[in-house]
Structure formats: C-alpha cells, structure tokens
Amino acid sequence: ILRAGDSTAVLEAAAETFVSLEDEDADYFINMLAGAPETSARAQLRGRWHLNNNRLDEAKTAFMTALRLDAKSLDAPTGLSLVARRQGQYDTAELLCRQILGRDPQYVPALECMMRINRARENWELAAQWQASLLKIKPDSAPDEYARLGEVLFQSGKLDLAERAFFVALEKEP
C-alpha cells in the first residue's frame, strides 16, 4: 500500500510500471530515485531499465549491486544471465541459469533463458526440451510460447510435433 507521505515508494512504483512497459518515461522516475538509499530492488529495477535500453555494461553493474545487496535473489543473477546472453557470452549465461535452476528448478525466467541460449547456439533439440519444460510448469502460457516450441521443434526436424505445437498456439490465440 502506497502512502501519500512516502514519495520514494511512489516513485519506485511508477518506475517499476514504466520499466515493465518499456516506456521511455521510465527515465524520469529512475533519475528521481537516484538520491534514494540503494536497495536490491532498486538496483534490479535500474538493471532492467538499462537492459531495456541495451546499455549492457550499466545493466551488469546494477545487477551485480543487486546481488551484493541480496545474495539470495534469483532475479539479480537472472538479470546477469540476460546481459551475458545478449553479449553472446553463452557459456556464462548458461552457468548462471544452471545455478539459478539448482536453487529453484521451476524458475521460469531461467528456463526461458536456457531455451534462448540453446536457440542462439542452434541446439534445436535442447531448446525444444527447455521450452517444453517451461510449458509443463506453465501450461497456461501465452500462445507465443507454444509457437516458440513449434519453431524450435521445426528447426530440429520434428515436423509432426512442431505442427501440433503451432496448432495449440492457434487454438489459444483469442
């Protein structure tokens, strides 16, 4: 619950909203939080903001700060894995994801990252396995998640399974 007197919480909520929407007005709210005491949540928010704007070095620094402030966080190492993946450092990204999955085998962002790493490496069968694992945990996923499974199955040559995944995506489409 936000209270009128807690301007930092209001700014943080606004920044979270605009960063999640990938709205350029997030800059205003992030900058307004610059003087607030650092927390893991604010560092992660800054990391996501930098990641959205493809400022990978700044994102990495922010996620490292978040991890330093909260060593139990799964979101901070996930952010670091996203940075590494975008920088083409697939081995580092995979290592981070595997560490996260060692702590929580059903952590959806890490499963998504593993699929994307293997897709980028053109390891189609592994990408399909990771995507299928994600869908097993989250069967109510959006149609594009099933289409993504269809894509990697198609690339791996499993055309019948790919076709089924594409049909599921189409059935789920509103």
Side-chain angles (χ1 to χ4, degrees):
I1 297 175
L2 298 176
R3 293 181 178 84
D6 191 357
S7 61
T8 301
V10 172
L11 288 171
E12 197 170 297
E16 175 68 38
T17 300
F18 282 94
V19 167
S20 294
L21 294 172
E22 296 185 23
D23 189 303
E24 64 186 40
D25 289 336
D27 297 1
Y28 173 78
F29 295 103
I30 293 287
N31 290 329
M32 291 296 291
L33 286 167
E38 187 71 277
T39 66
S40 179
R42 283 190 202 113
Q44 287 179 49
L45 183 62
R46 230 180 26 263
R48 289 179 29 233
W49 174 59
H50 287 305
L51 198 57
N52 288 351
N53 290 290
N54 211 33
R55 295 186 296 259
L56 301 180
D57 291 336
E58 292 90 340
K60 182 178 180 179
T61 299
F63 288 126
M64 291 292 289
T65 299
L67 190 57
R68 183 177 45 77
L69 292 169
D70 181 6
K72 294 181 180 182
S73 169
L74 294 178
D75 293 332
T78 298
L80 289 170
S81 72
L82 295 175
V83 170
R85 184 179 59 80
R86 285 205 193 165
Q87 291 176 327
Q89 299 171 357
Y90 301 126
D91 291 341
T92 300
E94 181 176 352
L95 176 64
L96 287 163
C97 288
R98 289 190 183 279
Q99 289 172 348
I100 295 163
L101 291 168
R103 291 169 54 198
D104 182 352
Q106 296 189 342
Y107 191 66
V108 171
L111 292 169
E112 289 172 345
C113 187
M114 287 297 293
M115 187 285 299
R116 291 176 189 272
I117 291 166
N118 283 289
R119 185 174 67 179
R121 289 175 167 163
E122 297 183 2
N123 292 337
W124 305 115
E125 288 193 27
L126 278 175
Q129 289 173 14
W130 286 109
Q131 188 67 11
S133 296
L134 182 147
L135 292 170
K136 189 180 287 186
I137 292 167
K138 234 177 118 182
D140 61 335
S141 291
D144 64 323
E145 295 294 340
Y146 286 90
R148 196 168 289 122
L149 176 61
E151 170 208 348
V152 292
L153 286 167
F154 180 83
Q155 292 291 347
S156 71
K158 297 181 178 177
L159 304 182
D160 290 342
L161 293 173
E163 182 179 49
R164 280 195 268 171
F166 287 131
F167 278 128
V168 171
L170 289 171
E171 288 171 2
K172 289 180 139 301
E173 188 66 39

